[in-house]
Amino acid sequence: MTFGDWPPQRRIGLTGGIASGKSSVAALLEKRGCPVLDADLYAREALAPGTSASKAVVARYGKRVQKDGTSDIDRAGLAAIVFNDPNERSWLEQLVHPIVQRRFADALRSLRDAPIVILMIPLLFEAGLEEWCNEIWVVHCTALQQKERLMARNHCTEAEAMQRIEAQWPIDDKVHRADHVINNSGLIDDLQDQLEALLKAQ
């Protein structure tokens, strides 16, 4: 799927390592009037109760991924499975990614007149979606900050945090493929200054 035949538009792929601060960057960009399309939000919606994808997940994993015997997906239980088994992670990605891509395509059609659109895609490189964007911004912080932020956010152990970090591409590989790197290891004012400069750049 490509969008090269659409009107000129800055389609900025926002990515980076897990817990690097992509959501914080996206929130600041939204405040500046940039529409943000969130792959994680679309993935959560794809696994909402009653969807075909959530039914497929329950059929595959059963009670291990059911929250209190309901049709709701226990995301912690699902994460424990897929982050421990690359084959299961691949199966889940093949199930969810096409749904997420359709949501992106629909949203971009409705925003075709917007001068800038932010595509927040944590697995942009891993999923080979670079062609969706004409700019790629990678959010970066120190390895220690990344691990500590992930442990605090997900209430997980250090080992669990490292397992999730290592399930993605090394951040250095993403940095090398970026058009711009956003340093999110400092103060919020520094982050805002970086974004202001990048939005003004053409």
Side-chain angles (χ1 to χ4, degrees):
M1 181 185 303
T2 62
F3 305 108
D5 57 340
W6 290 15
Q9 179 182 71
R10 289 183 74 180
R11 292 194 296 274
I12 299 169
L14 181 64
T15 191
I18 188 171
S20 60
K22 296 181 295 296
S23 295
S24 297
V25 170
L28 291 173
L29 290 169
E30 277 193 310
K31 287 183 179 179
R32 286 163 170 75
C34 301
V36 175
L37 309 181
D38 184 351
D40 279 349
L41 174 61
Y42 295 157
R44 287 193 295 272
E45 292 175 351
L47 293 177
T51 62
S52 59
S54 69
K55 291 176 182 177
V57 168
V58 171
R60 188 174 182 88
Y61 303 121
K63 293 181 179 179
R64 289 185 293 167
V65 297
Q66 288 181 276
K67 186 180 294 184
D68 301 323
T70 68
S71 59
D72 291 357
I73 299 294
D74 178 355
R75 297 183 183 279
L78 180 59
I81 294 171
V82 301
F83 282 108
N84 277 295
D85 188 329
N87 291 328
E88 295 306 318
R89 187 166 67 250
S90 177
W91 176 86
L92 183 64
E93 289 172 352
Q94 290 175 26
L95 175 70
V96 173
H97 283 183
I99 300 171
V100 172
Q101 291 177 21
R102 287 195 294 271
R103 288 296 308 276
F104 268 109
D106 290 344
L108 285 167
R109 288 188 188 95
S110 70
L111 291 167
R112 60 188 303 142
D113 294 327
I116 300 176
V117 180
I118 310 299
L119 287 71
M120 185 164 63
I121 310 176
L123 300 180
L124 188 149
F125 294 116
E126 291 89 336
L129 301 179
E130 297 96 323
E131 66 182 10
W132 284 26
C133 316
N134 46 39
E135 294 178 46
I136 296 177
W137 297 3
V138 169
V139 183
H140 182 272
C141 64
T142 69
L144 179 60
Q145 286 175 320
Q146 184 182 19
K147 181 180 69 175
E148 290 180 342
R149 290 171 181 176
L150 182 56
M151 291 172 65
R153 187 189 76 186
N154 288 34
H155 308 290
C156 61
T157 66
E158 182 176 359
E160 290 170 335
M162 292 307 300
Q163 184 181 53
R164 297 191 181 195
I165 291 170
E166 291 168 0
Q168 296 185 354
W169 277 24
I171 187 61
D172 286 347
D173 289 356
K174 296 185 178 187
V175 165
H176 290 151
R177 291 170 177 253
D179 294 301
H180 300 286
V181 178
I182 299 168
N183 182 355
N184 190 30
S185 59
L187 300 175
I188 186 68
D189 287 347
D190 295 333
L191 185 58
Q192 291 175 331
D193 289 344
Q194 291 177 73
L195 296 180
E196 194 67 31
L198 287 175
L199 288 174
K200 289 178 179 178
Q202 294 295 332

